[in-house]
Amino acid sequence: DPSEVLNNKTHKDIVSEMRKEIIKTAPNRQVSDYHFLKVLGEGSFSTVYLAHEIQTNKNFAVKVMNKESIRREKKFINVLRERDVMASLTYAFGGHPFIVDLHCAFQDRTRLFFVIKAAPNGELYDLLKYMGKFDKDLALFYCTEIVEALSFIHKCRVIHRDLKPENILIGEDWHILISDFGSAKIVGDKEQEALETEEASQLRAQGQSRGSFVGTAQYISPEVLQSQCAGYEADYWAVGAILFQMLTGYAPFRASNEYHIMRRVMNLEYDFPEGFPQSAKDLIQKFLVIDPSKRLGSLDMGGFDQVKNHPYFEGIVWDEVKSRYAPSLL
Ligand code: ATP
């Protein structure tokens, strides 16, 4: 149980142990230990490949990042945090079937390599685009998995902060794999908090209000858009927006540019279409609440236990969610 691990150690200790653990897992790993099979996707300073690890005879997703591009974009902190968070979730907290595992990490002179569990069935975003929208059962299936994975992430005292259909990958077995911990917050990490406070004040001085979240306001909670300070509730806002999108095929807050999307988020300007299922509507309305302390999922509102007990999840046996059968969709 993550809370037992955290009773004995701070996150900082865990992260420094994990750094050693990653090196131990695959000592002297290098790029020639892999056969690169195909490109799975591209990020702004990364390419992700499906690659075969010769020693273990297993396939992995290998995220390759150019150090110079990371430096240019000033993203070193995010990249290292992504590695540390994935490593601690995997090694210190035992991993979770709905979250990408970090197998190992290594570097050469110009590049960083993260070897991650592969998600061969793409992104929830693509699946949703392909299917148009999900029926009630499929939306409930994926929403349950997202909430289950989030409860684990939160127990590990991590906030994802950038949950969206592009970051929810679909594994080989058609279960979700939450990825992209580059914006994650380690709760209680004073160094991270100090850095982010300074970054936010610099941005404010330049007349900008947002930091590293450009391009994803559709799922970002109002408190994060405003100040970057976020509690666990920020992730439940995203679940509300994603559930809305799964059932309609479009995000609740839409506009022609980021500025207008942000305004709609801040003013809670969205509408349910006719015939929207009632219990899903009620859950979304309880997640899309401007005041984080009044949002379902916040500690003040009873945390994860209250989310689980919402009528939308009636009939879900939470202890069995990890071992359920997933429908194959393509
Ligand atoms: P940005 O850096 O611009 O925010 P990103 O976070 O999506 O982009 P990456 O995490 O490098 O960048 O991922 C790039 C693409 O590779 C993603 O769009 C995703 O579809 C794919 N991808 C990432 N991780 C995996 C994985 N474990 N298995 C399969 N595909 C993956």
Side-chain angles (χ1 to χ4, degrees):
D1 183 350
S3 30
E4 276 170 32
V5 177
L6 282 159
N7 276 344
N8 304 323
K9 293 175 193 162
T10 67
H11 233 298
K12 206 169 174 176
D13 300 333
I14 289 169
V15 164
S16 66
E17 275 173 33
M18 286 315 105
R19 286 185 179 151
K20 289 181 207 137
E21 191 71 32
I22 306 172
I23 296 164
K24 255 195 345 219
T25 306
N28 309 320
R29 268 279 187 284
Q30 51 189 2
V31 69
S32 59
D33 294 331
Y34 296 86
H35 287 312
F36 287 80
L37 305 173
K38 65 170 183 176
V39 173
L40 287 170
E42 308 246 5
S44 39
F45 48 85
S46 57
T47 305
V48 178
Y49 297 90
L50 181 68
H52 185 75
E53 192 176 67
I54 298 158
Q55 196 178 7
T56 57
N57 197 22
K58 283 186 183 155
N59 283 353
F60 290 98
V62 180
K63 179 164 168 167
V64 183
M65 289 156 286
N66 183 290
K67 289 184 192 173
E68 192 44 47
S69 319
I70 303 174
R71 198 165 291 129
R72 217 178 21 242
E73 306 269 332
K74 299 197 176 74
K75 291 286 185 187
F76 253 111
I77 287 179
N78 301 64
V79 167
L80 297 185
R81 187 176 315 124
E82 174 169 32
R83 185 200 61 184
D84 289 342
V85 168
M86 278 196 292
S88 62
L89 295 181
T90 307
Y91 294 108
F93 300 114
H96 189 285
F98 303 157
I99 299 169
V100 288
D101 277 335
L102 181 73
H103 173 60
C104 66
F106 56 92
Q107 57 179 309
D108 64 13
R109 202 173 51 79
T110 56
R111 295 166 299 178
L112 298 180
F113 300 84
F114 294 173
V115 182
I116 307 168
K117 181 166 182 179
N121 286 315
E123 301 171 1
L124 184 70
Y125 175 86
D126 295 318
L127 189 62
L128 198 48
K129 223 163 80 180
Y130 175 81
M131 296 183 70
K133 59 182 179 175
F134 292 166
D135 65 21
K136 272 164 57 173
D137 291 345
L138 193 59
L140 174 61
F141 177 84
Y142 280 122
C143 188
T144 305
E145 293 208 340
I146 296 166
V147 168
E148 159 67 29
L150 265 188
S151 82
F152 176 81
I153 294 171
H154 292 173
K155 268 193 216 151
C156 301
R157 294 197 203 145
V158 169
I159 310 170
H160 187 288
R161 297 199 299 188
D162 196 17
L163 205 60
K164 54 183 172 176
E166 291 90 330
N167 289 339
I168 300 170
L169 306 180
I170 310 290
E172 190 166 20
D173 54 8
W174 291 93
H175 289 285
I176 64 161
L177 281 171
I178 293 196
S179 83
D180 199 350
F181 289 88
S183 302
K185 175 180 166 128
I186 297 172
V187 177
D189 180 337
K190 295 277 175 283
E191 275 168 41
Q192 182 182 6
E193 276 164 20
L195 269 170
E196 290 188 357
T197 310
E198 192 187 316
E199 195 186 18
S201 71
Q202 276 175 9
L203 283 167
R204 257 196 306 278
Q206 293 162 14
Q208 299 172 29
S209 62
R210 299 172 69 226
S212 53
F213 299 108
V214 176
T216 56
Q218 279 181 320
Y219 311 93
I220 305 285
S221 64
E223 69 275 15
V224 177
L225 285 178
Q226 264 181 326
S227 64
Q228 286 206 0
C229 78
Y232 298 109
E233 321 79 45
D235 287 339
Y236 285 112
W237 173 280
V239 179
I242 295 167
L243 177 58
F244 181 101
Q245 186 165 354
M246 289 196 287
L247 285 164
T248 59
Y250 51 85
F253 304 103
R254 304 173 309 284
S256 53
N257 63 42
E258 277 301 301
Y259 173 74
H260 284 107
I261 294 175
M262 278 169 69
R263 275 189 44 175
R264 293 206 165 177
V265 169
M266 306 306 299
N267 296 325
L268 205 63
E269 259 177 67
Y270 75 104
D271 298 301
F272 290 98
E274 287 275 309
F276 197 90
Q278 190 50 46
S279 63
K281 183 174 177 177
D282 188 79
L283 181 67
I284 292 166
Q285 284 171 330
K286 292 193 160 85
F287 281 152
L288 297 182
V289 167
I290 301 272
D291 179 349
S293 69
K294 302 215 164 67
R295 192 174 305 147
L296 183 63
S298 78
L299 297 178
D300 290 344
M301 298 292 288
F304 172 57
D305 284 339
Q306 287 310 312
V307 177
K308 282 199 300 196
N309 289 334
H310 187 277
Y312 178 67
F313 296 112
E314 197 188 336
I316 299 293
V317 183
W318 287 91
D319 289 342
E320 292 173 8
V321 168
K322 282 196 270 188
S323 50
R324 291 185 309 176
Y325 160 83
S328 157
L329 295 167
L330 295 181

